[in-house]
Amino acid sequence: MRSILVTGGAGFIGSNFVQHLVATTDLAVTVLDKMTYAANREAIDALPADRVQLVAGDVVDAALVDGLVADHDAVVHFAAESHNDNSLKDPSPFVQTNVIGTFTLLEAVRKHGTRFHHVSTDEVYGDLELDDPARFTESTPYNPSSPYSSTKAGSDLLVRAWVRSFGVQATLSNCSNNYGPYQHVEKFIPRQITNVLDGRRPKLYGQGLNVRDWIHTEDHSSAVRTILERGRIGETYLIGADGEQSNRQVVETILELMGQPADAYDLVTDRPGHDMRYAIDSTKLRTELGWAPRFTDFRSGLEATIAWYRDNDAWWRPKKDAVEARYAEAGQ
Ligand code: NAD
Ligand code: TDX
């Protein structure tokens, strides 16, 4: 493998993956990214231009996608509309990008016989009760709750069908909640860190009891790389780092690490259809492919992330007021 096409490679996780490839391989990387509000041009500009080429374009553009797929040895597909709250306001771009975009890529990799890795989420499995001893595994039935997660579920099913019906050389991964540098301030952890930096109080939906299973984005990148290199075609691998925390615990830790009283947060209007708990069992990835996360101490990962947002004020500040104005409209 000499060249790789990374869709959504300017996004939070995609740009981390591109950075990972540049640091650890000799691959020539092309990023195909629509450069939506969620794209980080700065993250791509910081990489050597002789290693990474940026193509600003849409994954639903079949002619563009076909030409790019023809020129690359593998495709890793991160591009998506990714925020649940946005999908509740306007599902339309979610259907377009997540479903039609994945379909468009699948048709191109089918035609050119190109290796494909599809990046997805644990939200396709729906949610668990707080006291359920179970965690998600590769055989948990699909049961998505939101427009976002249902479009991701739809895209996963397209990939599985293209493997079975057309012999497409694809693998899939479903990962838990990521945190780390360059995550958009609309998302939970960056929103609360930047609220505190701005003198605003963190906002917890409902009672703050919902649980997410946190993983550092660098561990997500190393897992995708592992699956791309060693994953069995047609297989799904769950990616997680045993990082279950309630939203309230996360906010209390952020407040403490930032020198504020642990109860200096507000409870706000809950998200409609809010999934209660996600939890990943990543045994298959660990035992079959030998992957392990490096960021196993959530508190120190969070501390480093807080330092990154403190040091990169110029990156997030231009986005912050518009995000907060949108949340205020929803009472959040
Ligand atoms: P993000 O919103 O930060 O980035 C998405 C990127 O895709 C952006 O750069 C955007 O410009 C690009 N994009 C959007 N529509 C496009 C289109 N039509 N054509 C080309 N590019 C387009 O998202 P993220 O958090 O980095 O998530 C990346 C992938 O990982 C997604 O597929 C998401 O479902 C999956 N995922 C995310 C998480 C998480 O916690 N963030 C967890 C599991 C899986
Ligand atoms: O201000 C907030 N207050 C709050 O309590 C925000 C923005 C969120 N929340 C809650 C909702 C969730 O329980 O925090 C939790 C995390 O919220 P998000 O960051 O919006 O993530 P989530 O909805 O869990 O989805 C994320 O993980 C799976 C990503 O956005 C998805 O792209 C990924 O697939």
Side-chain angles (χ1 to χ4, degrees), residues 124-126 128 135-143 160 238:
V124 300
Y125 301 114
L128 299 160
R135 298 191 292 171
F136 299 137
T137 71
E138 287 77 6
S139 54
T140 303
Y142 274 41
N143 187 26
R160 290 180 180 200
L238 262 53

Side-chain angles (χ1 to χ4, degrees), residues 56-324:
D58 196 324
V59 289
V60 308
D61 180 340
L64 174 68
V65 164
D66 184 78
L68 287 169
V69 169
D71 286 345
H72 291 82
D73 300 324
V75 179
V76 178
H77 177 34
F78 288 94
E81 284 292 336
S82 68
H83 192 38
N84 274 301
D85 291 322
N86 295 344
S87 82
L88 294 163
K89 273 198 144 179
D90 179 12
S92 166
F94 289 76
V95 176
Q96 279 302 315
T97 292
N98 301 0
V99 181
I100 308 297
T102 303
F103 161 74
T104 306
L105 282 155
L106 283 169
E107 285 294 83
V109 295
R110 167 157 90 106
K111 179 173 161 193
H112 297 287
T114 310
R115 174 82 173 85
F116 185 69
H117 180 75
H118 179 65
V119 176
S120 192
T121 169
D122 59 0
E123 298 191 20
V124 300
Y125 301 114
D127 62 351
L128 299 160
E129 295 299 331
L130 293 180
D131 60 357
D132 190 336
R135 298 191 292 171
F136 299 137
T137 71
E138 287 77 6
S139 54
T140 303
Y142 274 41
N143 187 26
S145 315
S146 73
Y148 163 68
S149 54
S150 62
T151 57
K152 291 298 292 188
S155 69
D156 292 12
L157 298 182
L158 292 176
V159 178
R160 290 180 180 200
W162 262 240
V163 169
R164 171 138 178 191
S165 301
F166 303 125
V168 161
Q169 300 288 294
T171 43
L172 300 90
S173 55
N174 296 80
C175 186
S176 61
N177 282 61
N178 286 222
Y179 72 99
Y182 285 116
Q183 187 168 30
H184 198 279
V185 289
E186 69 189 355
K187 302 294 197 313
F188 178 57
I189 287 180
R191 184 181 184 208
Q192 313 315 337
I193 293 172
T194 55
N195 274 354
V196 177
L197 289 173
D198 259 358
R200 294 172 159 115
R201 284 162 71 92
K203 310 288 182 218
L204 278 171
Y205 294 172
Q207 298 300 310
L209 300 178
N210 306 63
V211 168
R212 296 294 182 264
D213 189 352
W214 293 100
I215 182 172
H216 196 284
T217 184
E218 298 215 3
D219 284 331
H220 190 178
S221 290
S222 71
V224 168
R225 163 98 183 277
T226 302
I227 299 164
L228 183 67
E229 284 179 348
R230 302 202 291 278
R232 283 186 291 136
I233 297 303
E235 293 291 315
T236 291
Y237 296 89
L238 262 53
I239 305 172
D242 299 332
E244 279 189 69
Q245 299 264 338
S246 75
N247 294 337
R248 194 185 285 184
Q249 282 174 304
V250 174
V251 159
E252 286 173 354
T253 309
I254 290 172
L255 285 164
E256 189 206 321
L257 289 169
M258 298 182 78
Q260 303 289 319
D263 62 351
Y265 57 78
D266 295 329
L267 297 178
V268 297
T269 310
D270 207 353
R271 174 184 284 173
H274 195 176
D275 281 340
M276 187 48 81
R277 171 174 160 247
Y278 306 137
I280 287 269
D281 178 348
S282 58
T283 303
K284 178 178 173 183
L285 175 63
R286 292 172 191 241
T287 54
E288 198 179 287
L289 303 185
W291 172 85
R294 282 201 309 120
F295 291 78
T296 48
D297 179 357
F298 179 67
R299 191 185 164 84
S300 61
L302 203 51
E303 203 167 9
T305 305
I306 291 168
W308 189 88
Y309 280 89
R310 190 174 271 130
D311 294 345
N312 288 274
D313 181 86
W315 177 78
W316 58 264
R317 193 164 290 284
K319 313 173 209 293
K320 180 72 179 169
D321 285 346
V323 165
E324 289 307 318

Side-chain angles (χ1 to χ4, degrees), residues 18-29:
V18 171
Q19 207 174 4
H20 172 89
L21 290 179
V22 168
T24 60
T25 73
D26 293 328
L27 290 167
V29 183

